[in-house]
Short mmCIF file of all heavy atoms in Angstrom, two decimals:
data_model
loop_
_atom_site.label_atom_id
_atom_site.label_comp_id
_atom_site.label_asym_id
_atom_site.label_seq_id
_atom_site.Cartn_x
_atom_site.Cartn_y
_atom_site.Cartn_z
N ASP A 28 6.38 -16.15 15.73
CA ASP A 28 7.38 -15.54 14.87
C ASP A 28 6.80 -14.15 14.46
O ASP A 28 5.77 -13.77 14.98
CB ASP A 28 7.82 -16.38 13.66
CG ASP A 28 6.68 -16.66 12.63
OD1 ASP A 28 5.65 -15.97 12.71
OD2 ASP A 28 6.89 -17.44 11.75
N PHE A 29 7.40 -13.47 13.48
CA PHE A 29 6.99 -12.12 13.12
C PHE A 29 6.00 -12.19 11.93
O PHE A 29 5.51 -11.02 11.53
CB PHE A 29 8.16 -11.24 12.73
CG PHE A 29 9.19 -11.08 13.86
CD1 PHE A 29 10.51 -10.91 13.53
CD2 PHE A 29 8.76 -11.06 15.19
CE1 PHE A 29 11.48 -10.79 14.56
CE2 PHE A 29 9.67 -10.87 16.21
CZ PHE A 29 11.01 -10.70 15.87
N HIS A 30 5.73 -13.31 11.38
CA HIS A 30 4.93 -13.41 10.12
C HIS A 30 3.55 -12.72 10.25
O HIS A 30 3.20 -11.87 9.42
CB HIS A 30 4.75 -14.83 9.77
CG HIS A 30 4.07 -15.12 8.45
ND1 HIS A 30 4.68 -15.46 7.35
CD2 HIS A 30 2.71 -14.88 8.14
CE1 HIS A 30 3.85 -15.50 6.32
NE2 HIS A 30 2.64 -15.19 6.77
N HIS A 31 2.79 -13.12 11.27
CA HIS A 31 1.40 -12.57 11.39
C HIS A 31 1.40 -11.04 11.54
O HIS A 31 0.61 -10.36 10.91
CB HIS A 31 0.70 -13.22 12.59
CG HIS A 31 0.54 -14.71 12.41
ND1 HIS A 31 0.65 -15.55 13.46
CD2 HIS A 31 0.26 -15.48 11.32
CE1 HIS A 31 0.47 -16.83 12.98
NE2 HIS A 31 0.22 -16.78 11.68
N SER A 32 2.34 -10.51 12.31
CA SER A 32 2.34 -9.07 12.58
C SER A 32 2.68 -8.35 11.22
O SER A 32 2.06 -7.34 10.87
CB SER A 32 3.37 -8.69 13.60
OG SER A 32 2.97 -9.21 14.88
N VAL A 33 3.74 -8.79 10.55
CA VAL A 33 4.14 -8.14 9.31
C VAL A 33 3.03 -8.19 8.29
O VAL A 33 2.69 -7.21 7.58
CB VAL A 33 5.47 -8.72 8.81
CG1 VAL A 33 5.80 -8.24 7.42
CG2 VAL A 33 6.61 -8.48 9.79
N GLU A 34 2.47 -9.44 8.01
CA GLU A 34 1.46 -9.62 7.01
C GLU A 34 0.20 -8.82 7.34
O GLU A 34 -0.36 -8.13 6.47
CB GLU A 34 1.11 -11.07 6.86
CG GLU A 34 0.03 -11.38 5.86
CD GLU A 34 -0.26 -12.79 5.74
OE1 GLU A 34 -0.36 -13.51 6.77
OE2 GLU A 34 -0.45 -13.31 4.61
N ASP A 35 -0.21 -8.86 8.61
CA ASP A 35 -1.50 -8.08 8.94
C ASP A 35 -1.27 -6.57 8.87
O ASP A 35 -2.25 -5.88 8.58
CB ASP A 35 -1.93 -8.54 10.38
CG ASP A 35 -2.51 -9.89 10.33
OD1 ASP A 35 -2.47 -10.64 9.31
OD2 ASP A 35 -3.02 -10.42 11.39
N ILE A 36 -0.08 -6.11 9.20
CA ILE A 36 0.16 -4.64 8.98
C ILE A 36 0.04 -4.36 7.48
O ILE A 36 -0.51 -3.28 7.09
CB ILE A 36 1.52 -4.28 9.56
CG1 ILE A 36 1.38 -4.27 11.14
CG2 ILE A 36 1.90 -2.82 9.14
CD1 ILE A 36 2.69 -4.10 11.90
N GLY A 37 0.54 -5.24 6.63
CA GLY A 37 0.39 -5.01 5.21
C GLY A 37 -1.09 -4.93 4.80
O GLY A 37 -1.50 -4.07 4.00
N ILE A 38 -1.92 -5.77 5.35
CA ILE A 38 -3.34 -5.79 5.12
C ILE A 38 -3.96 -4.45 5.55
O ILE A 38 -4.66 -3.79 4.73
CB ILE A 38 -4.06 -6.94 5.87
CG1 ILE A 38 -3.67 -8.30 5.21
CG2 ILE A 38 -5.62 -6.74 5.89
CD1 ILE A 38 -4.11 -9.46 6.10
N VAL A 39 -3.67 -4.01 6.70
CA VAL A 39 -4.23 -2.80 7.24
C VAL A 39 -3.77 -1.58 6.50
O VAL A 39 -4.52 -0.69 6.21
CB VAL A 39 -4.08 -2.67 8.80
CG1 VAL A 39 -4.73 -1.42 9.29
CG2 VAL A 39 -4.73 -3.88 9.47
N LEU A 40 -2.49 -1.54 6.21
CA LEU A 40 -1.94 -0.34 5.46
C LEU A 40 -2.57 -0.28 4.07
O LEU A 40 -2.93 0.74 3.57
CB LEU A 40 -0.39 -0.45 5.36
CG LEU A 40 0.24 0.72 4.73
CD1 LEU A 40 0.01 2.09 5.48
CD2 LEU A 40 1.79 0.52 4.60
N GLY A 41 -2.75 -1.48 3.45
CA GLY A 41 -3.39 -1.49 2.13
C GLY A 41 -4.81 -0.96 2.22
O GLY A 41 -5.24 -0.14 1.37
N GLU A 42 -5.56 -1.43 3.20
CA GLU A 42 -6.92 -0.93 3.36
C GLU A 42 -6.97 0.47 3.67
O GLU A 42 -7.86 1.22 3.28
CB GLU A 42 -7.59 -1.74 4.51
CG GLU A 42 -7.88 -3.21 4.15
CD GLU A 42 -8.38 -4.03 5.27
OE1 GLU A 42 -8.36 -3.60 6.48
OE2 GLU A 42 -8.86 -5.17 5.08
N ALA A 43 -5.95 1.03 4.44
CA ALA A 43 -5.89 2.46 4.76
C ALA A 43 -5.70 3.28 3.49
O ALA A 43 -6.37 4.34 3.22
CB ALA A 43 -4.84 2.79 5.76
N PHE A 44 -4.85 2.83 2.59
CA PHE A 44 -4.64 3.52 1.27
C PHE A 44 -5.91 3.48 0.44
O PHE A 44 -6.34 4.47 -0.18
CB PHE A 44 -3.43 2.95 0.55
CG PHE A 44 -2.18 3.68 0.81
CD1 PHE A 44 -1.28 3.13 1.75
CD2 PHE A 44 -1.92 4.91 0.29
CE1 PHE A 44 -0.11 3.81 2.07
CE2 PHE A 44 -0.68 5.59 0.62
CZ PHE A 44 0.16 5.02 1.48
N ARG A 45 -6.57 2.29 0.38
CA ARG A 45 -7.76 2.19 -0.40
C ARG A 45 -8.81 3.22 0.09
O ARG A 45 -9.48 3.91 -0.72
CB ARG A 45 -8.34 0.78 -0.30
CG ARG A 45 -9.60 0.56 -1.18
CD ARG A 45 -10.13 -0.87 -1.07
NE ARG A 45 -9.31 -1.86 -1.70
CZ ARG A 45 -9.37 -2.19 -3.02
NH1 ARG A 45 -10.16 -1.52 -3.82
NH2 ARG A 45 -8.61 -3.07 -3.51
N SER A 46 -8.98 3.25 1.41
CA SER A 46 -9.95 4.19 2.00
C SER A 46 -9.55 5.66 1.76
O SER A 46 -10.37 6.51 1.34
CB SER A 46 -10.07 3.93 3.51
OG SER A 46 -10.83 4.82 4.14
N ALA A 47 -8.26 5.98 2.03
CA ALA A 47 -7.85 7.42 1.93
C ALA A 47 -7.83 7.87 0.50
O ALA A 47 -8.11 9.14 0.26
CB ALA A 47 -6.40 7.53 2.54
N LEU A 48 -7.64 7.00 -0.48
CA LEU A 48 -7.63 7.44 -1.86
C LEU A 48 -9.06 7.57 -2.46
O LEU A 48 -9.17 8.22 -3.54
CB LEU A 48 -6.71 6.55 -2.75
CG LEU A 48 -5.24 6.60 -2.47
CD1 LEU A 48 -4.51 5.52 -3.24
CD2 LEU A 48 -4.74 7.99 -2.87
N GLY A 49 -9.99 6.94 -1.90
CA GLY A 49 -11.33 7.02 -2.30
C GLY A 49 -11.47 6.60 -3.78
O GLY A 49 -10.99 5.49 -4.16
N ASP A 50 -12.04 7.42 -4.66
CA ASP A 50 -12.18 7.06 -6.12
C ASP A 50 -10.95 7.30 -6.89
O ASP A 50 -10.91 7.05 -8.11
CB ASP A 50 -13.42 7.80 -6.70
CG ASP A 50 -13.14 9.34 -6.80
OD1 ASP A 50 -12.11 9.79 -6.43
OD2 ASP A 50 -14.13 10.02 -7.18
N ARG A 51 -9.90 7.83 -6.28
CA ARG A 51 -8.58 7.98 -6.86
C ARG A 51 -8.57 9.10 -7.83
O ARG A 51 -7.64 9.21 -8.67
CB ARG A 51 -8.01 6.64 -7.34
CG ARG A 51 -7.93 5.65 -6.28
CD ARG A 51 -7.33 4.34 -6.71
NE ARG A 51 -7.58 3.36 -5.68
CZ ARG A 51 -6.80 2.32 -5.40
NH1 ARG A 51 -5.68 2.13 -5.96
NH2 ARG A 51 -7.16 1.47 -4.41
N LYS A 52 -9.60 9.95 -7.83
CA LYS A 52 -9.66 11.02 -8.78
C LYS A 52 -8.45 11.94 -8.74
O LYS A 52 -8.05 12.37 -7.65
CB LYS A 52 -10.92 11.84 -8.48
CG LYS A 52 -11.15 12.96 -9.48
CD LYS A 52 -12.43 13.76 -9.21
CE LYS A 52 -12.66 14.85 -10.20
NZ LYS A 52 -13.88 15.56 -9.94
N GLY A 53 -7.84 12.23 -9.89
CA GLY A 53 -6.75 13.16 -9.96
C GLY A 53 -5.40 12.63 -9.71
O GLY A 53 -4.41 13.32 -9.94
N ILE A 54 -5.23 11.38 -9.18
CA ILE A 54 -3.90 10.95 -8.82
C ILE A 54 -3.09 10.59 -10.10
O ILE A 54 -3.64 10.31 -11.12
CB ILE A 54 -3.93 9.73 -7.90
CG1 ILE A 54 -4.55 8.45 -8.63
CG2 ILE A 54 -4.66 10.02 -6.59
CD1 ILE A 54 -4.34 7.17 -7.84
N ALA A 55 -1.75 10.59 -9.97
CA ALA A 55 -0.92 10.26 -11.03
C ALA A 55 -1.09 8.80 -11.42
O ALA A 55 -0.96 8.42 -12.57
CB ALA A 55 0.57 10.61 -10.67
N ARG A 56 -1.29 7.94 -10.49
CA ARG A 56 -1.55 6.57 -10.57
C ARG A 56 -0.31 5.71 -10.80
O ARG A 56 -0.07 4.78 -10.13
CB ARG A 56 -2.58 6.24 -11.71
CG ARG A 56 -2.87 4.81 -11.88
CD ARG A 56 -3.90 4.53 -12.96
NE ARG A 56 -3.90 3.15 -13.38
CZ ARG A 56 -4.69 2.66 -14.23
NH1 ARG A 56 -5.65 3.37 -14.78
NH2 ARG A 56 -4.56 1.40 -14.63
N PHE A 57 0.54 6.01 -11.75
CA PHE A 57 1.74 5.27 -12.10
C PHE A 57 2.95 5.93 -11.54
O PHE A 57 3.06 7.16 -11.50
CB PHE A 57 1.92 5.09 -13.60
CG PHE A 57 0.70 4.47 -14.27
CD1 PHE A 57 -0.19 5.31 -14.94
CD2 PHE A 57 0.53 3.12 -14.24
CE1 PHE A 57 -1.29 4.79 -15.60
CE2 PHE A 57 -0.58 2.63 -14.90
CZ PHE A 57 -1.48 3.40 -15.62
N ALA A 58 3.96 5.11 -11.15
CA ALA A 58 5.26 5.64 -10.72
C ALA A 58 6.30 4.56 -10.73
O ALA A 58 5.99 3.43 -10.68
CB ALA A 58 5.15 6.27 -9.30
N ASP A 59 7.55 4.99 -10.94
CA ASP A 59 8.66 4.05 -10.83
C ASP A 59 9.88 4.80 -10.27
O ASP A 59 10.04 5.98 -10.51
CB ASP A 59 8.97 3.31 -12.09
CG ASP A 59 9.57 4.29 -13.14
OD1 ASP A 59 8.78 4.97 -13.78
OD2 ASP A 59 10.79 4.26 -13.34
N ARG A 60 10.65 4.07 -9.50
CA ARG A 60 11.89 4.67 -8.92
C ARG A 60 12.97 3.62 -8.84
O ARG A 60 12.72 2.41 -8.58
CB ARG A 60 11.61 5.20 -7.51
CG ARG A 60 10.79 6.45 -7.38
CD ARG A 60 11.59 7.68 -8.07
NE ARG A 60 10.91 8.88 -7.85
CZ ARG A 60 11.29 9.90 -6.99
NH1 ARG A 60 12.39 9.67 -6.29
NH2 ARG A 60 10.61 10.97 -6.87
N LEU A 61 14.16 4.10 -8.99
CA LEU A 61 15.36 3.28 -8.78
C LEU A 61 16.19 3.96 -7.64
O LEU A 61 16.49 5.13 -7.75
CB LEU A 61 16.22 3.17 -9.98
CG LEU A 61 17.33 2.16 -9.99
CD1 LEU A 61 17.72 1.74 -11.39
CD2 LEU A 61 18.60 2.67 -9.28
N ILE A 62 16.40 3.22 -6.56
CA ILE A 62 17.00 3.81 -5.40
C ILE A 62 18.24 2.98 -5.01
O ILE A 62 18.22 1.80 -4.76
CB ILE A 62 16.07 3.85 -4.14
CG1 ILE A 62 14.83 4.74 -4.48
CG2 ILE A 62 16.73 4.37 -2.94
CD1 ILE A 62 15.10 6.20 -4.59
N PRO A 63 19.41 3.66 -4.86
CA PRO A 63 20.59 2.97 -4.39
C PRO A 63 20.66 3.09 -2.83
O PRO A 63 20.13 4.03 -2.26
CB PRO A 63 21.74 3.74 -4.99
CG PRO A 63 21.22 5.20 -5.14
CD PRO A 63 19.73 5.00 -5.41
#
């Protein structure tokens, strides 16, 4: 089924953001949006 592919891409995308953001210096950090 598609479960392993979808979940594992979530894992890798999360790790990519963790790596790319580093110490997160300067980021806004919080956000919220409502989208129709």
Side-chain angles (χ1 to χ4, degrees):
D28 68 10
F29 299 148
H30 185 106
H31 298 140
S32 294
V33 172
E34 182 179 39
D35 287 6
I36 289 170
I38 290 169
V39 179
L40 184 60
E42 290 174 348
F44 269 99
R45 183 181 289 277
S46 174
L48 289 173
D50 66 5
R51 304 182 194 210
K52 183 177 182 181
I54 66 168
R56 180 176 162 179
F57 303 101
D59 69 280
R60 286 295 186 107
L61 190 154
I62 299 290

